[in-house]
């Protein structure tokens, strides 16, 4: 591994023990992947949990006086602030542990964004920028929509990148590894943002960890439609890079996206594939429901606004709960703009900084029947004792008002 003079000093401990430790780990990771050098990063998304492994890891660096110089956002966490609102309190000892871990995040300098859509709001990379992002819905968006460059980092490798401001150069940081090798001809009608979720899931089932190039996607898809595609493609695959002709900066046309090579596979995605995807993720077709959960990935302000418009002047059916997940910052903005008030008056809630797979939700929805617009949410919650149907946001809100779908 070729190091610059500054990186060699870092390795020798001249810039602190924490940086030396982190860089040495990164050199070993880089060697595994054949990296020949490091690249500078100024932007990281580190999805650290409050589980033992991540806590131990942060403590190791704090003991060596680590302090971040760059922006590092964080994924949703298990946050004591919303336990009371959800009405599912944890044992006191656990609340204490969670608070301690959050203090550690602050001590090291992690930004408490607690969101899974940093690339849309708090931490937006520019085109061609090398960054270190984790989160399966964010990584294909960063690479394929924004045209920045990241490998699929782990919580720990992202934290080390935040400490050193470096990443080993391999994988998707290199031009030759970013080309598509599978052609996806979209023949399905994409009339609704929800259809992009179904397209993502249906495509993911064909992909493994290949790189798709999509053709025939309607002009000018919205950020939310693209987020839906990037979120639900990784329910059934491990796609870190995708191309959409006319959207991806590296895909002005199909030939360029494919690196002027023939695709290894060509697939057409039709309306039937979308319908199959929807049906495969529904535990029932019609039922009386107990809850609606939206915001996996976290809802944008635009999505919250649409929900508020759908709910304005109406009330949820008796005994039906509506929970919307968003970043704490987006919840504050929704409050300032009056959307939160409309949603709360109808009986719904916006929770800032939570994730749909956290145990508070398992307890709250134990034995219940619900609907969501997220295939990812349905997939992750399938092992729990709840029955879920996936359908569009509008249909979810309609079901919340009628109490059934
Ligand atoms: Fe976000 Fe959790 Fe869903 S991190 S994408 S709400 S599984």
């Amino acid at each position: 591994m070729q190091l610059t003079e500054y990186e060699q000093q870092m390795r020798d401990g001249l810039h602190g023990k924490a940086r030396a430790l982190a860089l040495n780990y990164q050199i070993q990771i880089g060697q595994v992947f054949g990296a020949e050098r490091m690249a500078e990063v100024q932007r990281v998304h580190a999805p650290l949990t409050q589980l033992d492994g991540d806590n131990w890891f942060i403590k190791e660096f704090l003991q060596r006086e680590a302090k971040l110089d760059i922006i590092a956002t964080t994924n949703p966490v298990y946050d004591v602030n919303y336990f009371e609102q959800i009405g599912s309190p944890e044992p006191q000892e656990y609340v204490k542990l969670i608070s301690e871990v959050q203090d550690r995040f602050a001590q090291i300098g992690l930004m408490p964004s607690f969101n899974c859509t940093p690339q849309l709001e708090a931490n937006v990379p520019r085109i061609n920028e090398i960054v270190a992002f984790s989160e399966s819905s964010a990584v294909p968006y960063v690479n394929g929509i924004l045209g920045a460059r990241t490998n699929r980092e782990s919580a720990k490798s992202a934290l080390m990148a935040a400490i050193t401001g470096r990443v080993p150069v391999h994988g998707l940081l290199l031009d030759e590894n970013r080309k598509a090798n599978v052609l996806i001809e979209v023949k399905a009608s994409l009339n609704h943002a929800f259809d992009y979720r179904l397209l993502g899931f249906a495509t993911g089932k064909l992909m493994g960890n290949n790189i798709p190039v999509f053709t025939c996607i309607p002009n000018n898809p919205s950020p939310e439609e693209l987020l839906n595609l990037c979120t639900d493609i990784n329910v059934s695959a491990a796609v870190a890079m995708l191309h959409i002709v006319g959207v991806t900066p590296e895909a002005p046309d199909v030939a360029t996206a494919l690196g002027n090579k023939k695709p290894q596979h060509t697939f057409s995605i039709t309306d039937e594939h979308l319908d199959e995807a929807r049906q495969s993720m529904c535990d029932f077709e019609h039922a009386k429901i107990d809850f609606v959960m939206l915001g996996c990935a976290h809802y944008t302000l635009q999505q919250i606004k649409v929900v508020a418009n759908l709910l304005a002047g109406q009330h949820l059916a008796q005994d039906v709960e509506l929970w919307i997940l968003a970043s704490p910052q987006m919840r504050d903005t929704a409050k300032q703009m009056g959307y939160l008030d409309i949603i709360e008056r109808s009986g719904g809630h916006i929770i800032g900084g939570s994730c749909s797979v956290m145990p508070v939700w398992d307890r709250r929805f134990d034995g219940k029947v619900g609907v969501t617009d997220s295939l990812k949410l349905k997939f992750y919650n399938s092992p729990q004792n709840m029955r879920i149907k996936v359908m569009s946001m509008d249909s979810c809100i309609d079901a919340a008002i009628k109490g059934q779908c």
Side-chain angles (χ1 to χ4, degrees):
M1 172 91 63
Q2 293 262 323
L3 298 180
T4 62
E5 191 182 333
Y6 178 78
E7 288 160 0
Q8 190 58 54
Q9 287 176 354
M10 205 187 310
R11 189 179 196 185
D12 294 341
L14 298 182
H15 300 287
K17 289 182 185 167
R19 289 203 174 99
L21 179 66
L23 191 73
N24 272 307
Y25 280 139
Q26 288 183 297
I27 289 171
Q28 290 171 51
I29 293 170
Q31 282 166 345
V32 169
F33 289 103
E36 293 175 357
R37 63 186 175 87
M38 293 279 172
E40 190 177 344
V41 291
Q42 295 175 345
R43 209 177 273 293
V44 170
H45 182 67
L48 289 151
T49 65
Q50 289 137 321
L51 300 176
D52 289 344
D54 285 352
N55 288 336
W56 175 85
F57 205 66
I58 293 192
K59 264 204 286 187
E60 285 293 299
F61 287 105
L62 277 175
Q63 280 163 3
R64 290 170 175 79
E65 300 179 345
K67 194 81 190 158
L68 307 189
D69 289 336
I70 63 176
I71 293 174
T73 42
T74 43
N75 242 34
V77 291
Y78 210 34
D79 190 338
V80 291
N81 292 323
Y82 57 62
F83 287 168
E84 209 171 302
Q85 192 182 356
I86 297 172
S88 183
E90 288 286 347
Q92 270 311 308
E93 298 152 42
Y94 195 46
V95 169
K96 189 165 165 272
L97 172 68
I98 291 166
S99 301
E100 279 171 14
V101 173
Q102 286 200 28
D103 287 349
R104 265 178 228 142
F105 280 25
Q107 278 171 44
I108 207 163
L110 289 162
M111 179 177 164
S113 63
F114 303 150
N115 64 346
C116 47
T117 51
Q119 77 282 5
L120 292 176
E121 37 179 288
N123 198 358
V124 185
R126 62 176 163 73
I127 191 168
N128 287 328
E129 182 178 355
I130 293 179
V131 299
F133 267 49
S134 185
E135 170 51 50
S136 65
S137 53
V139 167
Y141 199 105
V142 166
N143 281 310
I145 310 302
L146 302 179
R149 296 184 174 211
T150 183
N151 280 313
R152 200 171 37 223
E153 300 289 350
S154 71
K156 294 172 187 63
S157 66
L159 179 64
M160 291 187 289
I163 291 169
T164 62
R166 296 289 185 280
V167 282
V169 176
H170 64 90
L172 291 173
L173 307 192
L174 298 169
D175 288 349
E176 60 269 28
N177 298 327
R178 296 174 64 82
K179 303 295 180 201
N181 58 350
V182 176
L183 177 61
I184 303 291
E185 296 170 338
V186 180
K187 296 191 171 157
S189 356
L190 301 177
N191 297 322
H192 193 285
F194 179 62
D195 297 332
Y196 286 77
R197 289 187 176 273
L198 299 174
L199 173 64
F201 183 74
T203 307
K205 288 210 291 192
L206 304 168
M207 289 307 302
N209 56 2
N210 288 312
I211 299 182
V213 51
F214 291 89
T215 62
C216 310
I217 288 205
N219 283 342
N220 206 15
S222 70
E224 287 75 17
E225 289 166 339
L226 295 167
L227 178 63
N228 286 350
L229 173 62
C230 291
T231 298
D232 286 330
I233 198 168
N234 279 333
V235 175
S236 48
V239 172
M241 170 76 195
L242 52 80
H243 296 257
I244 302 173
V245 173
V247 171
T248 304
E250 293 150 83
D253 51 58
V254 183
T256 308
L258 288 163
N260 295 309
K261 292 187 182 152
K262 284 201 168 149
Q264 289 170 14
H265 305 282
T266 299
F267 299 107
S268 294
I269 302 287
T270 62
D271 288 335
E272 285 71 41
H273 289 107
L274 265 47
D275 202 44
E276 257 171 44
R278 190 194 65 75
Q279 284 185 21
S280 72
M281 295 297 275
C282 286
D283 292 336
F284 56 89
E285 269 304 324
H286 303 288
K288 184 178 166 326
I289 62 160
D290 303 302
F291 71 90
V292 176
M293 194 173 210
L294 306 171
C296 171
H298 277 178
Y299 258 16
T300 64
L301 191 63
Q302 177 63 17
Q303 289 168 311
I304 293 171
K305 176 182 170 180
V306 174
V307 172
N309 286 342
L310 290 168
L311 284 173
Q314 312 213 56
H315 204 279
L316 306 187
Q318 201 178 4
D319 299 330
V320 172
E321 301 176 11
L322 167 65
W323 299 93
I324 300 166
L325 308 178
S327 71
Q329 300 78 23
M330 206 47 71
R331 184 181 188 277
D332 288 349
T333 309
K335 185 174 182 179
Q336 284 170 354
M337 297 190 72
Y339 306 145
L340 178 63
D341 191 40
I342 295 171
I343 290 167
E344 287 186 339
R345 262 190 278 134
S346 77
H349 310 272
I350 302 178
I351 295 287
S354 180
C355 164
S356 59
V357 295
M358 287 176 176
V360 280
W361 300 112
D362 305 343
R363 288 195 298 273
R364 180 125 200 132
F365 300 146
D366 187 45
K368 302 270 171 86
V369 178
V371 295
T372 180
D373 63 345
S374 169
L375 288 88
K376 183 173 182 177
L377 185 152
K378 157 68 183 140
F379 179 79
Y380 278 180
N381 287 289
S382 287
Q384 307 305 330
N385 181 29
M386 54 183 94
R387 291 170 64 226
I388 299 178
K389 176 177 176 178
V390 182
M391 53 196 202
S392 70
M393 177 216 282
D394 314 36
S395 304
C396 287
I397 297 301
D398 191 54
I401 293 166
K402 293 183 177 145
Q404 58 187 22
C405 66

